[in-house]
Amino acid sequence: DLSKDPSKHQLLGGCVSAGPMVNDKAQYLELRGAMHALQIDTGSQGAMLRALGAVLHLGDLEFQALAVPGSDAGSGIGKSGASGKAIEALGPLLGVEKALLEKALCSKIVVEHEVPVVPAEAANARSALAKGMYSRLFDWTLRKVNGALATGGQSRAKRDAKTHFIGLLDIFGFE
């Protein structure tokens, strides 16, 4: 489960909660209504929300150094606190076993051999995965919005020759 307090998630640490003046339930319903109006089916909406949740949980993973026999380096995902909750949530959200996710983040393949990595390298792998997922979700959302605007809810054959679009600029980490 995601925390209702944005400061509890590493990727949202700089966010300030709007407090009791914002009706989260009403805004959520408005968001879902907007997605429906843009012809984003409920299955895609669910996948979108799961992907966003996974990105937030990925940011909460913490890595610790581990002794690995036959290697100078090694790391593992912290199993307590926010990191422990995040690794438990990520498996179902991403559709992978948590052991496989940890292996993917905490090791690399060099000439067909698995090599452990230090915690900083594991954190870099985690950040790259989160950024890649967010980037692909952002691009997909723009395609869906622009596709819905281009068709105006009509078939392509009936749409107006003039095409409308929305362009968004998202600078990851820029505040």
Side-chain angles (χ1 to χ4, degrees):
D1 288 333
L2 293 172
S3 173
K4 292 183 181 185
D5 179 0
S7 68
K8 299 289 184 198
H9 295 286
Q10 294 299 315
L11 294 179
L12 299 177
C15 292
V16 177
S17 178
M21 299 301 290
V22 175
N23 184 335
D24 289 333
K25 184 177 180 179
Q27 286 191 340
Y28 174 76
L29 293 173
E30 185 178 343
L31 171 69
R32 294 298 288 250
M35 287 193 278
H36 180 72
L38 291 170
Q39 302 169 356
I40 300 173
D41 62 80
T42 55
S44 295
Q45 290 179 32
M48 227 174 137
L49 295 172
R50 284 189 302 278
L52 285 172
V55 167
L56 289 175
H57 283 303
L58 280 167
D60 293 338
L61 292 178
E62 295 174 356
F63 300 92
Q64 57 194 22
L66 294 177
V68 176
S71 176
D72 294 337
S75 62
I77 294 174
K79 303 295 190 281
S80 62
S83 185
K85 290 178 184 175
I87 192 64
E88 290 297 327
L90 278 165
L93 288 172
L94 296 175
V96 298
E97 294 178 24
K98 64 183 178 181
L100 289 176
L101 178 61
E102 183 169 16
K103 180 179 175 180
L105 293 174
C106 296
S107 64
K108 60 185 175 183
I109 304 296
V110 179
V111 191
E112 299 185 23
H113 296 297
E114 185 178 323
V115 179
V117 298
V118 296
E121 289 176 303
N124 288 340
R126 175 219 44 220
S127 296
L129 177 60
K131 287 177 183 179
M133 286 181 61
Y134 184 80
S135 177
R136 288 176 186 251
L137 179 61
F138 188 84
D139 292 343
W140 178 87
T141 302
L142 282 180
R143 281 193 305 277
K144 290 299 261 182
V145 169
N146 287 331
L149 291 175
T151 62
Q154 301 175 357
S155 69
R156 289 189 181 260
K158 293 184 178 181
R159 76 177 178 209
D160 191 3
K162 186 176 181 181
T163 301
H164 301 282
F165 73 96
I166 292 179
L168 297 176
L169 174 63
D170 178 37
I171 302 174
F172 192 84
F174 183 77
E175 289 148 355

